[in-house]
Amino acid sequence: MTLEQFRLDGKTALITGGNRGIGLAIAQIFVQAGASCMLTSRSETPGLKALLEQEPDRVAWIGADVNDEDAPDRIVSATLKRFGRLDILVNNAGVADNGNFHEFTDAQLDFVMSTNLIAPFRIARAAIAPMLKQGSGAVVNIGSISGYVANKPQLQVAYNSSKAAIHQMTRTMAFEYADKGIRVNALAPGYVVSDMTAGGIADAEWNHVWTANTPMGRFAEPVEMANCALFLASDAASYVTGAILVADGGYTTH
Ligand code: NDP
């Protein structure tokens, strides 16, 4: 049955930033689809607590800052210890910081690049080992339309660069592991309602620029990104690797 290929029964997913926003929506949809999920973030949230209470056998959480040196091994080991396998990695945790290129500080640059590029690289590297042993796996990196366009009105050269790099990391990993049963894809969202965009959505001018440049004329809900991540993570995408799935309401069409 075709629809069964979209299910994740018996699979285990590790989702970074799974406590809120897009990451929590991905966790909720993956759990609905039958997966067990190890979620990781620095803080606990009401949404995370509700999911843990709802599915105590299939959802677990481990506190970690993705930038900590031991975080990749710690969160991958915790997943294997709790659920016995690791089938899906969703590299979702991310941060944004705005500013002019010529005034952007080293500290800002390090904050964005370490969280959005170096940490996902190190976490994927740790997750690949058990996937190679199993001979199967799927990695979903959360990129962005910012990997393609210079956003407006906000200036965010480091963020845009980090997302372009994640797209290229995705393609290169996909090439390397295509014959090992491991698929690697990215999702490139447009503007999604979350804490990351809350300030811009609340700002009348930014809100207008963002929606006016989105042909659908609206922001996405996190669940609309989670549905795309489910496709990429599931066997329904069995021949899809190295793809950047753009889900942006048409933003990058013009
Ligand atoms: P939010 O700001 O709502 O959530 C960010 C998530 O990342 C939180 O779960 C946060 O958890 C986690 N996180 C951030 N820094 C760290 C860290 N150092 N260690 C561990 N976890 C961390 O953002 P979104 O849900 O909107 O974004 C999710 C992903 O989607 C990001 O990669 C973002 O770049 C991308 N994206 C978002 C778009 C949007 O319009 N919202 C558009 C395109 C891409 P905690 O703070 O508790 O640690």
Side-chain angles (χ1 to χ4, degrees):
M1 282 283 289
T2 288
L3 283 180
E4 279 165 16
Q5 297 193 331
F6 287 84
R7 292 202 54 86
L8 303 177
D9 301 289
K11 294 190 176 177
T12 294
L14 168 60
I15 305 170
T16 68
N19 62 339
R20 56 191 168 99
I22 294 170
L24 177 62
I26 291 173
Q28 289 163 336
I29 290 294
F30 279 20
V31 167
Q32 270 185 44
S36 297
C37 291
M38 176 62 80
L39 312 180
T40 183
S41 56
R42 291 166 302 185
S43 62
E44 293 183 78
T45 62
L48 169 70
K49 284 181 186 155
L51 192 58
L52 285 164
E53 269 168 36
Q54 187 194 314
E55 293 288 349
D57 295 335
R58 286 199 291 126
V59 181
W61 176 80
I62 177 168
D65 183 324
V66 291
N67 293 314
D68 285 349
E69 195 170 346
D70 68 345
D73 286 341
R74 206 158 62 77
I75 63 180
V76 167
S77 300
T79 309
L80 295 172
K81 190 168 171 204
R82 174 67 194 264
F83 296 114
R85 52 188 298 119
L86 174 54
D87 303 286
I88 300 159
L89 167 66
V90 183
N91 256 328
N92 163 80
V95 291
D97 201 1
N98 303 333
N100 294 315
F101 177 76
H102 60 277
E103 290 170 332
F104 217 69
T105 65
D106 284 352
Q108 288 178 293
L109 182 61
D110 183 58
F111 169 66
V112 174
M113 287 311 219
S114 60
T115 309
N116 292 4
L117 176 62
I118 307 299
F121 186 113
R122 297 180 72 239
I123 292 167
R125 192 175 57 192
I128 283 289
M131 290 180 179
L132 279 172
K133 241 185 234 167
Q134 284 166 199
S136 66
V139 176
V140 180
N141 294 316
I142 307 302
S144 173
I145 56 166
S146 308
Y148 294 109
V149 302
N151 296 77
K152 53 193 168 188
Q154 76 277 28
L155 298 172
Q156 45 177 39
V157 65
Y159 182 85
N160 297 356
S161 305
S162 73
K163 293 301 184 179
I166 275 291
H167 293 173
Q168 185 60 351
M169 183 181 100
T170 299
R171 280 188 287 261
T172 312
M173 283 181 66
F175 174 76
E176 188 169 341
Y177 296 107
D179 62 354
K180 310 262 183 329
I182 301 169
R183 297 182 300 100
V184 186
N185 292 290
L187 174 63
Y191 287 99
V192 184
V193 177
S194 76
D195 293 341
M196 185 177 277
T197 50
I201 290 172
D203 181 296
E205 189 198 324
W206 284 35
N207 187 311
H208 172 73
V209 174
W210 287 355
T211 47
N213 281 284
T214 304
M216 282 190 181
R218 67 170 178 87
F219 303 110
E221 291 300 325
V223 68
E224 296 181 281
M225 298 304 119
N227 291 337
C228 297
L230 173 62
F231 167 65
L232 293 174
S234 74
D235 291 344
S238 54
Y239 201 58
V240 182
T241 198
I244 315 298
L245 175 52
V246 176
D248 67 352
Y251 191 103
T252 50
T253 57
H254 60 104

